[in-house]
Amino acid sequence: MPLVNKARSHTVVRGHSLNRLRFLLTVFFALDGFVFAGWVVRIPAVKEQTGASASGLGLALLGVSAGAVVTMLITGRLCRRYGSHPVTVVCAVLLSLSVTLPPLTHSAPALGAMLLLFGAAYGGSTSPSTVRPSTWSQPWADRSCRPSTRPSAWAA
């Protein structure tokens, strides 16, 4: 099978190490979710502080998604060059710092800029964490995720 969109090298992780890595990855995503949730519950207060209209707040909130998407496109290259661990650590530090910035803003455009930075840090911290498990060699790792198109594979 051709290696289209597949990692060319796999890291073999077995037994206790695999369970430990899964646990640590779960903890990382839980903490990442708590950081994001900590920002989301502050949206009404930040909207009031900035005096943003509903549409202005919507455009500012679009900065989170825009920043995340742009960073996710770059993160793959950074992981290939530097490894997923350093990229995750740097982006997690940036995320921790950027989550403090939106409450300091006093206008919708400034809020949008801060949320662009927050989204970039958020996308950069989660993207390497999803790349890493895809390189662990498992019995299912070499199988295609797509259903087979051969009629013989449809037979029960």
Side-chain angles (χ1 to χ4, degrees), residues 87-144:
V87 173
T88 303
V89 169
V90 168
C91 288
V93 169
L94 290 175
L95 178 63
S96 299
L97 296 174
S98 68
V99 77
T100 63
L101 297 176
L104 301 176
T105 60
H106 296 288
S107 69
L111 178 64
M114 294 302 120
L115 291 178
L116 187 71
L117 179 64
F118 174 74
Y122 189 78
S125 67
T126 57
S127 188
S129 301
T130 57
V131 170
R132 180 72 183 228
S134 69
T135 63
W136 298 338
S137 183
Q138 292 295 312
W140 45 264
D142 295 326
R143 295 186 196 152
S144 173

Side-chain angles (χ1 to χ4, degrees), residues 28-73:
F28 175 79
F29 275 110
L31 291 174
D32 208 39
F34 286 129
V35 168
F36 196 79
W39 150 245
V40 169
V41 298
R42 298 265 314 135
I43 290 175
V46 171
K47 179 183 182 216
E48 185 179 319
Q49 176 183 326
T50 59
S53 65
S55 59
L57 180 66
L59 285 174
L61 290 173
L62 187 60
V64 176
S65 298
V69 168
V70 169
T71 306
M72 287 178 188
L73 294 172

